[in-house]
């Protein structure tokens, strides 16, 4: 996706580092293969729950690292579904009345959902911009954008200040503070063009 450049906004210098998710997901494929062989052969089935838990731990780590790369992923349904699948898989491993194929299947679904999110994140899906910001100024968006934006906290902070969730895009606004001052960040997860022009009230 391409963002329309506007004076004062700069492309974010952040790049997704996906080395850890790549290796942990690759490892989870191996630890998921062993339970399949054990259940099919009927041998060493007592070890199956432990392999499932190891797979869940590896995929959970991959999901956590992927999530840490982009703030906007907190709104992504794929992340929400992955968390649900992770917890469900762990829970059903300890239910004796349930076949071990079920939590193993949940783990396989967890791999798919985590992979989809990680794949788009590693590819730089969407766009990220930043703008130098006065920490004493409160966030105010253009009135034409407020129909699909919700301001959570207008005061500059490291937490989410504004969010947008539509069928076409997910986006968040937040601030980061460093030695140079305060930077306002815009993180958009979408395949369509995001127009920066007149995004903020001050730019009208």
């Amino acid at each position: 996706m391409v963002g329309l450049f506007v004076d004062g906004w700069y492309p974010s210098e952040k790049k997704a580092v996906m080395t850890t998710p790549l290796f942990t997901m690759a490892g989870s494929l191996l630890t998921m293969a062993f339970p399949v062989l054990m259940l099919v052969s009927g041998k060493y089935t007592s070890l199956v729950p432990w392999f499932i838990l190891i797979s869940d731990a590896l995929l959970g780590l991959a999901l956590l690292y992927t999530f840490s790369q982009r703030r906007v992923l907190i709104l992504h349904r794929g992340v929400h579904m992955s968390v649900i699948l992770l917890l469900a898989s762990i829970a059903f491993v300890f239910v004796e009345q349930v076949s071990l194929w079920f939590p193993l299947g949940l783990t396989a679904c967890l791999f798919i959902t985590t992979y989809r999110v990680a794949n788009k994140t590693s590819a730089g899906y969407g766009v990220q911009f930043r703008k130098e910001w006065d920490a004493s100024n409160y966030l105010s968006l253009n009135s034409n954008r407020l129909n699909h934006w919700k301001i959570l906290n207008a005061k500059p902070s490291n937490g989410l200040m504004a969010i947008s969730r539509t069928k076409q895009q997910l986006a968040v606004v937040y601030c980061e503070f460093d030695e140079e001052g305060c930077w306002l960040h815009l993180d958009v997860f979408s395949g369509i063009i995001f127009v920066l022009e007149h995004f903020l009230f001050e730019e009208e």
Side-chain angles (χ1 to χ4, degrees):
M1 187 186 83
V2 179
L4 179 61
F5 182 76
V6 176
D7 288 343
W9 287 98
Y10 304 92
S12 176
E13 298 175 351
K14 290 185 175 181
K15 301 296 181 183
V17 180
M18 303 299 290
T19 305
T20 298
L22 175 65
F23 280 101
T24 53
M25 292 185 71
S28 71
L29 286 176
L30 182 63
T31 55
M32 279 191 288
F34 284 120
V36 173
L37 296 175
M38 292 173 181
L39 289 173
V40 170
S41 65
K43 297 180 179 179
Y44 308 107
T45 54
S46 61
L47 297 177
V48 170
W50 298 107
F51 276 105
I52 294 176
L53 290 176
I54 292 172
S55 300
D56 289 338
L58 290 172
L59 290 172
L61 187 61
L63 182 64
L64 179 62
Y65 269 87
T66 301
F67 174 76
S68 68
Q69 303 297 317
R70 301 278 297 272
R71 295 280 186 93
V72 71
L73 291 179
I74 196 172
L75 303 178
H76 199 287
R77 287 190 176 91
V79 173
H80 304 163
M81 181 59 67
S82 294
V83 172
I84 293 173
L85 289 170
L86 174 63
L87 296 177
S89 177
I90 294 174
F92 280 106
V93 161
F94 298 103
V95 180
E96 295 181 358
Q97 294 80 3
V98 176
S99 170
L100 288 173
W101 283 107
F102 184 66
L104 183 58
L106 292 175
T107 301
C109 292
L110 170 61
F111 177 89
I112 294 172
T113 56
T114 302
Y115 172 79
R116 287 179 175 177
V117 176
N119 185 47
K120 285 190 174 182
T121 303
S122 64
Y125 187 74
V127 68
Q128 298 181 75
F129 282 98
R130 63 176 185 156
K131 177 183 178 71
E132 195 168 5
W133 193 255
D134 186 342
S136 63
N137 287 347
Y138 280 55
L139 178 67
S140 181
L141 302 183
N142 187 315
S143 58
N144 295 327
R145 302 292 189 99
L146 289 177
N147 59 331
H148 60 84
W149 277 89
K150 180 180 180 181
I151 296 180
L152 304 177
N153 178 23
K155 184 178 180 180
S157 72
N158 194 44
L160 297 183
M161 297 170 61
I163 63 174
S164 172
R165 187 205 300 268
T166 67
K167 291 182 179 180
Q168 290 77 30
Q169 73 172 28
L170 300 174
V172 298
V173 174
Y174 61 94
C175 277
E176 283 192 347
F177 302 87
D178 56 25
E179 296 177 354
E180 299 178 359
C182 176
W183 289 89
L184 186 70
H185 286 259
L186 171 64
D187 190 355
V188 183
F189 204 77
S190 174
I192 63 174
I193 294 176
F194 185 88
V195 181
L196 276 170
E197 190 174 12
H198 301 317
F199 175 63
L200 300 176
F201 178 74
E202 66 169 17
E203 297 170 341
E204 292 187 74

